[in-house]
Amino acid sequence: MNTKQTKPNIFNYNRRNTVAVKVGNLMLGSDYPVRVQSMTNTSTMDTEGSVAQIQRIAGRGGELVRLTTQGSREAINLGEIKRVAAEAGCNVPLVADVHFNASVADVAAQYADKVRVNPGNYVDTARTFKHIDYTDEEYARELERLSERFTAFLNLCKKEGKAIRVGVNHGSLSDRIMSRYGDTPEGVVESCMEFLRICHREKFDNVVVSIKTSNTPIMVTTVRLLNSVMAAEGIAYPLHLGVTEAGDAEDGRIKSAVGIGALLADGIGDTVRVSLAEAPENEIPVAKELVEYISSRKGHAAIAGEEAQSFDYISPTRRQTRETLGVGGGKVPAVVSAPIDDEESDLAPDFIFEEGKLSCGSHKYEISTATDNTSATFIQLQYSDLTDELLAKIKEQSDCIIVAESTHANPVGEFRALVHKLTIAGVEAPVIVRRKYDETSIEVLRIKAAADLGVLLIDGLVDGVWIENPALPATEINALSFGILQATRLRISKTEYIACPGCGRTMYDLQGTLARIKSATAHLKGLKIGVMGCIVNGPGEMADADYGYVGAARGKVSLYRKKECVEKNIPEEEAISRLLELIDSDKQKGIS
């Protein structure tokens, strides 16, 4: 694999250059707006229900809608759904979601506007998580078989004038890829590139690409790697972004905004889906808010930043700092908050800001501006303050914490420039990012703050977060700070739920079940529990979860410990109690 690092300008927002792709009556990529989409959770054989849901998604601003197509009959009925929706005045492009059967993709190409195929199960058999030793000759023959089958599909799509999405899910890599590359970002990217090279060779450019995983930092860095490899090989297909199995409520929104926002901030991404375990139409306002927020940076005043040589964009590590008052030095990122109701909980902030001072326990500290006092513990400054003289003074001080602020139209770019300049100058003072907002909706604040702070945390640039929004309750803002840290996997304060949004394959009431599981397991701080509607991603995504609850058949559930299925086909009404018994038994045995 060619891993030459071709990356965007990390200080200035510009959209990545791509080819234009036509999906039905919609254009995306190139200079077209970032498109938002969702997926139905109805049966694709339910024409009336599917059309109604498509209308609700489109009514909220959704520009593409995906439907599951388990078999040929669903693919054919997708054509009927499209006809009925059009008669009702809804002409949003429809996308067929195909797994496990390449022949279904051929049928879907005759009816859908775009066909999504999953490299992990397009021609490779369903994964068994077994290692297979391939010789180079055997591996080459497998690629030849893939090329022959996929080329025939591309020729059909050319004839029908249809688009495709090559959509890799980290949880559904084939045994072939896993055996050669392992469960690595390089393996995920190579799984995708095998297909993209065929598209490129065949001069088929009506292609959208996606890589998804439930681990937000891995999703970000793997898409960055894909972007680099594509650029190095002269491939410029549009990218679809999403954090798969993000969950519901505030956690699902924060997790999605962190992952998608981190990539959009660098101009990467041409269409997005916020995957929530809720009604599909609820995903659209979140996606639109996020896209509009990042897109508003277009044309901002240029930031003259210089990148530190030690920074690795594709595989970032935490910036080296010295510890001061428990901040930096490898400690978990700190949280600063206004006074909250409960300062003894797992969400207790590290510093309280009140009456112009920061307090930690019984100690109170003044916050000085860079021009007032560079010998203070907390020094507040912006990028424009960093003169060579100031950098020299801060470098000499052994116990200061920098409070970074920005009023720039591209705050992420300016914060990056500030920290990179500190790094280049050899300043090891920890940095807390202080970000001020003026929102009246906690929903909007979650999206914006997660997008702004998440990428800085994933890049390893900051040692603490401080979100201010006077119009909203301090308790909710403090919880948001901890939610962002949880989404970036840097500070775990509660149970994490890896929950799929559901589709026509879902085997049970996903939303109700997720609510019951959360109620029963919310006390299990630090555990990751997967709640999956079916087997498409279920077992694979269990690799990132400690335990999994996976729909096996109608009314039946299988339980997983990581990748291992430990109980099969349990009656649904018993499954949650059996999950709790499994967790408790493992705890007593010292397994978890």
Side-chain angles (χ1 to χ4, degrees):
M1 184 193 300
N2 188 340
T3 56
K4 175 185 174 183
Q5 292 196 14
T6 305
K7 61 177 180 293
N9 182 320
I10 63 172
F11 307 115
N12 295 284
Y13 174 78
N14 287 290
R15 285 278 300 282
R16 165 179 170 263
N17 292 322
T18 76
V19 301
V21 168
K22 188 176 188 296
V23 185
N25 57 7
L26 185 75
M27 299 297 298
L28 61 83
S30 186
D31 293 327
Y32 294 99
V34 177
R35 306 298 188 179
V36 299
Q37 59 180 282
S38 184
M39 183 175 185
T40 64
N41 58 21
T42 52
S43 166
T44 311
M45 296 307 297
D46 177 5
T47 302
E48 182 179 347
S50 296
V51 169
Q53 202 164 78
I54 290 167
Q55 288 176 307
R56 290 196 296 273
I57 293 169
R60 301 291 292 273
E63 296 169 285
L64 296 96
V65 179
R66 185 158 48 113
L67 297 90
T68 188
T69 49
Q70 298 98 309
S72 295
R73 65 176 196 147
E74 285 86 1
I76 293 169
N77 200 57
L78 196 150
E80 177 66 6
I81 290 170
K82 184 174 179 63
R83 183 190 67 79
V84 174
E87 287 182 353
C90 183
N91 291 295
V92 61
L94 301 185
V95 183
D97 192 57
V98 179
H99 296 272
F100 302 119
N101 194 331
S103 296
V104 174
D106 295 343
V107 177
Q110 301 172 56
Y111 300 98
D113 298 297
K114 181 169 74 171
V115 182
R116 180 271 176 102
V117 295
N118 184 342
N121 55 41
Y122 179 72
V123 293
D124 288 306
T125 56
R127 62 209 179 283
T128 60
F129 305 111
K130 292 181 180 178
H131 183 84
I132 305 168
D133 289 319
Y134 290 94
T135 65
D136 289 345
E137 292 77 12
E138 289 171 335
Y139 202 89
R141 282 198 296 270
E142 289 297 301
L143 291 182
E144 188 175 331
R145 181 172 67 91
L146 160 64
S147 178
E148 181 179 345
R149 183 65 185 87
F150 190 56
T151 299
F153 172 64
L154 294 182
N155 289 334
L156 178 59
C157 290
K158 285 180 184 178
K159 176 184 174 184
E160 298 288 340
K162 303 300 175 65
I164 71 167
R165 167 150 66 105
V166 175
V168 179
N169 277 9
H170 192 186
S172 58
L173 294 179
S174 68
D175 287 340
R176 178 176 59 81
I177 285 288
M178 290 283 285
S179 295
R180 174 150 291 201
Y181 294 92
D183 186 15
T184 63
E186 289 76 16
V188 177
V189 170
E190 183 61 24
S191 178
C192 191
M193 290 302 299
E194 288 179 351
F195 282 68
L196 299 188
R197 291 180 187 120
I198 298 170
C199 294
H200 194 54
R201 183 194 71 203
E202 297 298 318
K203 296 181 171 55
F204 184 90
D205 288 341
N206 219 27
V207 184
V208 179
V209 190
S210 70
I211 283 179
K212 293 187 178 183
T213 175
S214 60
N215 183 317
T216 307
I218 295 296
M219 173 262 189
V220 171
T221 55
T222 304
V223 174
R224 286 177 176 177
L225 176 61
L226 172 66
N227 183 52
S228 173
V229 174
M230 287 173 63
E233 297 192 22
I235 296 173
Y237 300 133
L239 282 161
H240 168 74
L241 305 180
V243 178
T244 192
E245 284 92 35
D248 65 349
E250 62 269 24
D251 289 341
R253 286 159 174 79
I254 292 170
K255 201 171 182 180
S256 294
V258 165
I260 298 170
L263 292 162
L264 289 178
D266 291 333
I268 298 172
D270 304 280
T271 171
V272 306
R273 182 196 175 190
V274 172
S275 297
L276 300 176
E278 301 177 15
E281 59 267 27
N282 290 354
E283 299 176 351
I284 301 302
V286 183
K288 286 174 66 67
E289 185 71 48
L290 179 59
V291 168
E292 289 169 5
Y293 180 56
I294 303 296
S295 297
S296 68
R297 297 172 187 172
K298 182 178 180 180
H300 67 72
I303 299 169
E306 180 183 352
E307 188 175 317
Q309 289 186 352
S310 59
F311 179 65
D312 186 337
Y313 177 73
I314 292 176
S315 300
T317 56
R318 187 93 173 262
R319 169 179 167 258
Q320 182 175 324
T321 59
R322 50 165 172 64
E323 182 185 344
T324 301
L325 299 180
V327 182
K331 296 288 187 180
V332 295
V335 172
V336 180
S337 171
I340 62 172
D341 295 335
D342 183 6
E343 297 178 9
E344 301 300 323
S345 71
D346 288 338
L347 302 185
D350 302 283
F351 296 92
I352 296 293
F353 180 63
E354 191 173 17
E355 297 178 349
K357 295 182 180 180
L358 284 173
S359 62
C360 179
S362 60
H363 299 281
K364 294 185 183 297
Y365 302 90
E366 299 279 355
I367 302 176
S368 296
T369 63
T371 54
D372 288 341
N373 182 8
T374 55
S375 63
T377 301
F378 290 92
I379 302 173
Q380 182 173 291
L381 54 80
Q382 297 188 40
Y383 179 51
S384 58
D385 296 324
L386 287 181
T387 63
D388 291 343
E389 180 183 7
L390 177 60
L391 285 166
K393 289 181 178 179
I394 294 174
K395 187 176 180 179
E396 291 174 359
Q397 191 173 338
S398 61
D399 61 350
C400 72
I401 297 172
I402 293 171
V403 178
E405 289 195 305
S406 174
T407 57
H408 197 278
N410 182 9
V412 167
E414 190 166 70
F415 281 131
R416 279 171 157 172
L418 184 152
V419 180
H420 277 267
K421 191 163 187 176
L422 293 174
T423 304
I424 291 168
V427 174
E428 294 190 350
V431 174
I432 293 175
V433 169
R434 184 181 191 182
R435 188 78 178 106
K436 298 178 180 179
Y437 301 89
D438 187 25
E439 305 298 333
T440 56
S441 163
I442 187 65
E443 292 274 335
V444 173
L445 179 63
R446 286 184 185 123
I447 295 165
K448 293 184 176 182
D452 286 341
L453 301 179
V455 62
L456 301 174
L457 290 161
I458 289 171
D459 281 354
L461 299 180
V462 298
D463 306 285
V465 296
W466 181 356
I467 301 170
E468 290 186 287
N469 198 113
L472 296 172
T475 301
E476 291 199 57
I477 296 172
N478 179 67
L480 168 59
S481 298
F482 279 95
I484 294 170
L485 294 178
Q486 175 107 6
T488 55
R489 302 286 180 96
L490 290 174
R491 184 169 182 173
I492 306 302
S493 54
K494 53 189 173 182
T495 314
E496 180 172 345
Y497 299 95
I498 301 170
C500 76
C503 68
R505 298 174 186 264
T506 302
M507 297 296 181
Y508 56 83
D509 171 18
L510 185 67
Q511 294 174 42
T513 300
L514 176 58
R516 291 191 293 275
I517 290 175
K518 290 176 78 169
S519 177
T521 60
H523 62 290
L524 300 173
K525 174 183 174 180
L527 276 188
K528 297 190 290 292
I529 298 176
V531 184
M532 303 291 159
C534 73
I535 62 168
V536 170
N537 297 324
E541 294 299 346
M542 294 307 99
D544 194 46
D546 299 297
Y547 296 94
Y549 181 109
V550 182
R554 293 296 174 191
K556 301 291 184 180
V557 171
S558 293
L559 300 181
Y560 285 74
R561 181 193 297 116
K562 297 190 182 294
K563 292 180 181 179
E564 178 191 6
C565 183
V566 293
E567 294 194 59
K568 293 183 178 180
N569 299 319
I570 302 168
E572 186 182 345
E573 58 271 17
E574 300 175 15
I576 294 179
S577 61
R578 298 272 280 275
L579 173 64
L580 293 172
E581 289 171 7
L582 173 63
I583 294 171
D584 186 58
S585 174
D586 282 356
K587 184 177 181 181
Q588 292 182 26
K589 296 175 183 176
I591 294 176
S592 61

